[in-house]
Amino acid sequence: MSSAVRHDVEVLGDPASAAAVLDPLRSRILRALSRPGSATTVARDLGETRQKVNYHLRTLERHGLVRLVDERPRRGLTERMMEASAEAYVVGPDALGPLAVDPERTDRLSSRYLLAVAGRLISEVGRLARAADEAGKPLPTLTIDTEVRFADADSRAAFTHELAAAVTELVARHHDEDAPDGRWHRLIVAAHSRPPTPEEDTP
């Protein structure tokens, strides 16, 4: 039985795993297994046959997307209790192979560059998180997520200038090219227009 930690988010970089999650029925099975269940209980919840659910469960288990958490005797048989490996999934660019985004092939002045950098972040942090889990070590990261409302374009331009200056000064102060035990980190600062909320969309 698995003793692995179930995470809030798991990055899928393997094409076969990504394809398994994108199947509509399998995604419903994974959602049903946000808490432990068996082929029988999932089939009842989804209105499907046990045989059909069990077939898809085997595929999901083969790709590590569900795992065995318990076995229970039931009417002379053994009922396998399964649980999804994560609460939610992100398909990483690695799953697309040669079609994966690459900031080096993208215009740095375009909005698509932000998408390419975000894709690289998903791939790299996903790989690092898996390695940290396997080693039983924490992965130090930093996330700052906030919103700002500018009065006008001039205010936005002034903010951009001040932010760039502050980041440049901070990096110059803490960067040490020759530290013998130093470790490289990526720092990404991004901003984009926030999509309107449903309330803001209402006339």
Side-chain angles (χ1 to χ4, degrees), residues 12-23 63 65 91-92 95:
L12 304 177
D14 173 63
S17 298
V21 167
L22 293 174
D23 178 89
H63 293 298
L65 297 168
V91 177

Side-chain angles (χ1 to χ4, degrees), residues 125-162:
V125 176
R127 290 195 298 267
L128 289 168
R130 284 191 295 272
D133 290 342
E134 292 170 1
K137 296 180 179 179
L139 175 65
T141 60
L142 167 67
T143 305
I144 299 174
D145 183 11
T146 189
E147 296 179 1
V148 55
R149 189 169 188 264
F150 299 112
D152 50 37
D154 289 341
S155 175
R156 185 178 64 237
F159 176 86
T160 300
H161 176 75
E162 292 179 35

